[in-house]
Amino acid sequence: MAGGKDKGSGNGAGAIGQRATLRTISELTGLSQSTVSLSLRGGTALKEETRRKVAEAAKAVGYVPDRAGVRLRTGKTNVIALVLDGGDDSIDFARQMIQGIGQAIRGSRYHLTVIPEFVRTQSVETVRYVLDNRTADGVIITHTGPRDRRVQLLMDANFPFVSHGRTEFFTQHAYHDFHSEAFATVAAERLAAKGCKHLLMLVGDDSTTNHHNIVTAFRHATARLGIVGTVQDSAALRGRPDEIRQLGLDITRQANRPDGIICDSEMRAIALIGGLQDGGLHLGQGIEMIFKQTSDILPTLFPKLDSIVEDVFTAGEELTRLLLRRINGEAPETLQTLFEPSPRWRS
Amino acid sequence: MAGGKDKGSGNGAGAIGQRATLRTISELTGLSQSTVSLSLRGGTALKEETRRKVAEAAKAVGYVPDRAGVRLRTGKTNVIALVLDGGDDSIDFARQMIQGIGQAIRGSRYHLTVIPEFVRTQSVETVRYVLDNRTADGVIITHTGPRDRRVQLLMDANFPFVSHGRTEFFTQHAYHDFHSEAFATVAAERLAAKGCKHLLMLVGDDSTTNHHNIVTAFRHATARLGIVGTVQDSAALRGRPDEIRQLGLDITRQANRPDGIICDSEMRAIALIGGLQDGGLHLGQGIEMIFKQTSDILPTLFPKLDSIVEDVFTAGEELTRLLLRRINGEAPETLQTLFEPSPRWRS
DNA sequence: ACAAACCGTTGCAACGTTGCAATTTACATG
DNA sequence: CATGTAAATTGCAACGTTGCAACGGTTTGT
């Protein structure tokens, strides 16, 4: 072992050596470990003086409850697990999500463990691992599919979780989701108001529930607005950026090409713009665009570009709040929220 | 509690109810818990038959060692902690880093917990928290400064850690770092070869060691090459992207402006390009650029743009490998590696 | 034949915590 | 002063694991 011993790090006083436990405080105050434990956790029936003595001693020795002890005794891990999707469609998704979660558990006893997925597929392995290993008290999953097998598994196990994204299951579960129907509708209306007659909706991952929602809403909106609506949803769009770039170039060469594009991912929007530019087509000059914004990157390059913001940080916060309440026993059906897209019209 | 009970999830056989422990296997096989424990961990002196019996029983009941038990007994958390910097200079940094770490601990008993920082400053609080709470067996920190207080604290506590970035401390510690001197040198040489006479180095966070290394190497390189080298390093560059965008615009208006730019961050490169374009200046037409690439975003928009790649995924892998060896007791000075930048010339 | 060495296995204690039943202490009442 | 009751505190067991000393049994050496 390298640094395995004598880590008497930052306890308030300069005490060295062994870590402070309940026993330490017990010996220091002359009270029993039970009393100390009780007092520290805000027990109900304790003398004011006892409380004070314990609190002082605890502070003096820099007592921090041992997670392993608590976990062994109570079964609570005080950990929430984030299953991190392997894709990178939404720019800066991982960082913002994690920061949001971090914000929500700040000051609490909870830790965050992240379990990376290596393939973009709602794989059940990772979640099963969490279940089998009692890794956490609750799980956050993202990129949820309509009949997501992870959700199924978690519901079957009656394990607390919250999904970023809705499902089509009859049984209710906690979720927080971007309101992609509203996104599609608002975007279509905006483009129509700008005079567009032929909209192209560029969507990616067809395994998610959002994919379905967004396409349906788009179809409704264009029909209602009386304009042409095309959905571009080939396998190519889930491929490497250069494929989408090629698509952008192809569009510029089409006979009756769309005059408005809606893009549900900033990454794809970038690739597409690259392709359009290759074909000599520039935004605002014969073609309009609205994209779902998750970072500042595209707006930095094209400040006049319309976007609709999905705030992933806030999503992370909200997901965590919901999960914590779920862990605390609240009913799933009371833990379902949507994030309303916030349009940023800049042109 | 919501789903706190009866999580007899995915154990191989269909056994329900309580989780399998050593006791379960002990009762099943008639052997003592000690023997079972020993056998499961590959004890030395055991009959072949005993081994087999234990292994079979363990598999049958889907035994997974309880982390809390192990941790309480041995003091090992089997967790590594990543202190996640709050900044987003390097696009996709967090995701790739985490994926890389995930790859390196795949199949091992290790988990990853992520501790988000909320301010871009080598704050000691987070690390102290890890120390006080025995959160992990080892820590990974990023964006290391020359006299990073976190490093100081970790060294003082003799706690296993590895830093993404070097320091100036005399005492040796484990690190993995991007070879930013090589980056600056290679980039300057490339631009000089392309005929540039006046280089601008655009650097951001002056609190990191890399900042210093990169500037020094740049100064040496330009001197050696006999060309003008300017370092742009104002407070504005650490501000919002629009400030850097403004800088880009300003450059186009300068009397004797640089004809070659080196940028140590993809995010800043994007903002700068935006500003240059605002001023009517396009890359390759009177101005060249090389940037440190950490994602596919900029190359997707400007495929002909030269870059030098920093592979953050690989860095995450390597950092973890080093940390694991450190935890295992290897000497810090044997755990220091550099990542050689890989140039991607495309013009 | 007896001691020594070995093999394979086991019981026990401890890690730090909490819930519960039981105990002690304090205080008011008859 | 005995008694009852409430308030305050405590001892004990258990959560699942592992290290260690010790066990009985067999083999080897002298």
Side-chain angles (χ1 to χ4, degrees):
Chain A
M1 292 264 175
K5 320 211 160 193
D6 262 33
K7 292 174 243 146
S9 54
N11 26 21
I16 22 158
Q18 278 311 339
R19 182 181 165 79
T21 73
L22 288 181
R23 208 243 265 285
T24 318
I25 303 180
S26 163
E27 283 166 358
L28 224 56
T29 57
L31 294 157
S32 77
Q33 297 189 28
S34 300
T35 309
V36 176
S37 170
L38 205 58
S39 172
L40 250 17
R41 278 170 301 129
T44 44
L46 290 183
K47 257 200 300 190
E48 192 50 46
E49 192 206 339
T50 308
R51 275 212 156 75
R52 195 185 40 73
K53 273 204 302 193
V54 170
E56 274 172 13
K59 187 161 194 185
V61 297
Y63 172 77
V64 178
D66 183 281
R67 308 198 114 230
V70 177
R71 181 165 170 178
L72 185 58
R73 176 63 231 246
T74 65
K76 265 209 94 178
T77 63
N78 283 305
V79 165
I80 68 179
L82 167 68
V83 177
L84 190 65
D85 184 273
D88 62 345
D89 266 10
S90 299
I91 295 177
D92 211 24
F93 184 88
R95 188 189 131 261
Q96 290 189 52
M97 177 63 67
I98 289 169
Q99 294 269 342
I101 297 171
Q103 177 64 35
I105 59 177
R106 215 174 174 176
S108 81
R109 297 172 59 55
Y110 280 91
H111 286 182
L112 165 67
T113 102
V114 176
I115 310 177
E117 287 273 355
F118 293 94
V119 278
R120 155 72 59 102
T121 160
Q122 288 102 13
S123 143
V124 92
E125 298 308 318
T126 325
V127 166
R128 165 145 281 146
Y129 179 83
V130 174
L131 259 31
D132 287 350
N133 286 54
R134 293 279 195 289
T135 297
D137 296 336
V139 186
I140 299 177
I141 62 176
T142 66
H143 299 83
T144 317
R147 307 199 66 77
D148 200 300
R149 294 174 57 224
R150 302 169 301 176
V151 171
Q152 184 76 70
L153 181 60
L154 287 161
M155 290 198 302
D156 286 351
N158 192 27
F159 193 87
F161 76 100
V162 57
S163 61
H164 186 232
R166 288 158 281 177
T167 65
E168 287 172 1
F169 291 113
F170 179 72
T171 309
Q172 299 297 301
H173 62 86
Y175 66 75
H176 175 69
D177 200 3
F178 180 69
H179 199 326
S180 28
E181 302 91 306
F183 165 75
T185 309
V186 169
E189 284 167 355
R190 165 74 173 171
L191 289 174
K194 279 179 129 184
C196 296
K197 301 293 179 203
H198 178 181
L199 301 190
L200 175 74
M201 165 67 81
L202 178 54
V203 280
D205 191 346
D206 66 1
S207 64
T208 66
T209 314
N210 265 341
H211 174 273
H212 176 249
N213 290 341
I214 220 168
V215 167
T216 308
F218 175 71
R219 292 242 159 81
H220 284 149
T222 47
R224 184 165 48 76
L225 294 162
I227 56 181
V228 182
T230 312
V231 175
Q232 174 58 267
D233 175 22
S234 75
L237 301 187
R238 267 159 285 135
R240 302 303 314 150
D242 50 330
E243 291 174 317
I244 293 157
R245 197 161 206 281
Q246 182 60 44
L247 172 75
L249 180 56
D250 292 347
I251 287 176
T252 66
R253 292 175 180 153
Q254 279 175 21
N256 60 344
R257 59 162 191 249
D259 51 4
I261 299 179
I262 303 175
C263 193
D264 75 338
S265 125
E266 190 165 351
M267 188 63 218
R268 278 190 288 277
I270 288 174
L272 195 74
I273 292 175
L276 293 175
Q277 288 184 345
D278 285 346
L281 204 55
H282 288 269
L283 294 171
Q285 302 167 8
I287 194 151
E288 299 289 340
M289 184 172 199
I290 294 181
F291 71 100
K292 189 169 89 176
Q293 179 189 340
T294 53
S295 85
D296 281 331
I297 287 176
L298 206 34
T300 296
L301 268 166
F302 305 100
K304 300 221 190 94
L305 196 50
D306 281 344
S307 72
I308 294 179
V309 173
E310 171 175 15
D311 186 340
V312 180
F313 180 94
T314 302
E317 270 188 307
E318 173 70 1
L319 283 165
T320 309
R321 277 194 297 260
L322 294 174
L323 180 57
L324 260 27
R325 287 168 57 193
R326 177 74 192 110
I327 291 173
N328 238 43
E330 292 191 35
E333 52 270 25
T334 64
L335 303 171
Q336 305 175 331
T337 60
L338 285 181
F339 180 85
E340 288 300 325
S342 22
R344 300 232 174 131
W345 310 147
R346 328 189 202 214
S347 47
Chain B
M1 293 267 175
K5 320 209 161 196
D6 262 34
K7 291 173 246 149
S9 56
N11 26 22
I16 22 159
Q18 280 311 340
R19 183 179 163 81
T21 72
L22 287 181
R23 209 242 267 282
T24 319
I25 302 180
S26 163
E27 283 165 357
L28 224 55
T29 57
L31 294 157
S32 77
Q33 297 189 30
S34 300
T35 310
V36 175
S37 170
L38 205 57
S39 172
L40 250 18
R41 279 171 300 130
T44 44
L46 289 185
K47 257 200 300 190
E48 192 50 45
E49 193 204 339
T50 308
R51 276 210 153 77
R52 195 184 40 73
K53 273 204 303 194
V54 171
E56 276 173 12
K59 186 160 194 186
V61 298
Y63 172 77
V64 179
D66 184 281
R67 308 197 115 232
V70 177
R71 182 165 169 178
L72 185 58
R73 177 63 230 246
T74 65
K76 265 211 93 177
T77 62
N78 284 305
V79 166
I80 68 180
L82 167 68
V83 177
L84 190 65
D85 184 272
D88 62 345
D89 266 10
S90 298
I91 295 177
D92 212 25
F93 184 88
R95 188 188 130 261
Q96 290 189 52
M97 177 63 68
I98 289 169
Q99 293 269 342
I101 297 171
Q103 177 64 36
I105 59 177
R106 215 174 172 175
S108 81
R109 296 171 60 55
Y110 279 91
H111 285 182
L112 165 67
T113 101
V114 176
I115 309 176
E117 287 274 355
F118 293 95
V119 279
R120 155 71 61 102
T121 160
Q122 289 103 13
S123 141
V124 92
E125 297 309 317
T126 325
V127 166
R128 165 144 280 146
Y129 179 83
V130 174
L131 259 31
D132 287 350
N133 287 54
R134 294 278 196 289
T135 297
D137 296 336
V139 186
I140 299 176
I141 63 176
T142 66
H143 298 84
T144 317
R147 307 199 65 79
D148 200 300
R149 294 173 56 225
R150 304 169 300 174
V151 171
Q152 184 77 69
L153 181 60
L154 287 161
M155 289 198 303
D156 287 350
N158 192 27
F159 193 87
F161 76 100
V162 58
S163 61
H164 187 231
R166 287 157 282 176
T167 65
E168 286 173 1
F169 291 113
F170 179 72
T171 309
Q172 299 296 301
H173 62 86
Y175 67 75
H176 175 70
D177 199 3
F178 180 71
H179 198 326
S180 28
E181 302 92 307
F183 165 75
T185 309
V186 169
E189 285 169 354
R190 165 74 172 173
L191 289 175
K194 278 178 128 182
C196 296
K197 302 291 180 204
H198 179 180
L199 301 190
L200 175 75
M201 165 67 80
L202 178 54
V203 279
D205 191 347
D206 67 0
S207 64
T208 66
T209 314
N210 265 339
H211 175 273
H212 176 250
N213 290 341
I214 219 167
V215 167
T216 308
F218 175 72
R219 292 240 159 82
H220 283 151
T222 47
R224 185 165 47 76
L225 293 162
I227 56 181
V228 182
T230 314
V231 175
Q232 174 59 265
D233 174 23
S234 76
L237 303 186
R238 267 159 286 135
R240 303 302 315 153
D242 51 329
E243 291 174 317
I244 293 158
R245 197 160 204 282
Q246 182 62 43
L247 172 74
L249 180 57
D250 292 346
I251 286 176
T252 66
R253 292 174 181 154
Q254 279 176 19
N256 60 344
R257 60 162 190 251
D259 51 5
I261 299 179
I262 304 175
C263 194
D264 75 337
S265 124
E266 190 164 353
M267 187 64 218
R268 278 191 289 277
I270 288 174
L272 195 73
I273 292 174
L276 292 176
Q277 288 183 346
D278 285 346
L281 205 54
H282 288 269
L283 294 172
Q285 301 166 9
I287 193 151
E288 299 290 338
M289 183 172 200
I290 294 181
F291 69 101
K292 189 169 89 176
Q293 178 189 341
T294 53
S295 85
D296 281 332
I297 288 177
L298 206 33
T300 297
L301 268 166
F302 304 100
K304 299 221 191 95
L305 196 50
D306 282 344
S307 73
I308 293 179
V309 173
E310 171 174 17
D311 187 340
V312 179
F313 180 94
T314 302
E317 271 188 306
E318 174 70 1
L319 283 165
T320 309
R321 276 193 296 259
L322 294 174
L323 179 58
L324 259 27
R325 287 168 57 192
R326 177 75 191 107
I327 290 174
N328 237 43
E330 292 191 35
E333 52 270 25
T334 64
L335 303 171
Q336 306 175 331
T337 59
L338 286 181
F339 180 85
E340 288 301 325
S342 22
R344 300 229 174 134
W345 309 147
R346 327 187 203 216
S347 46

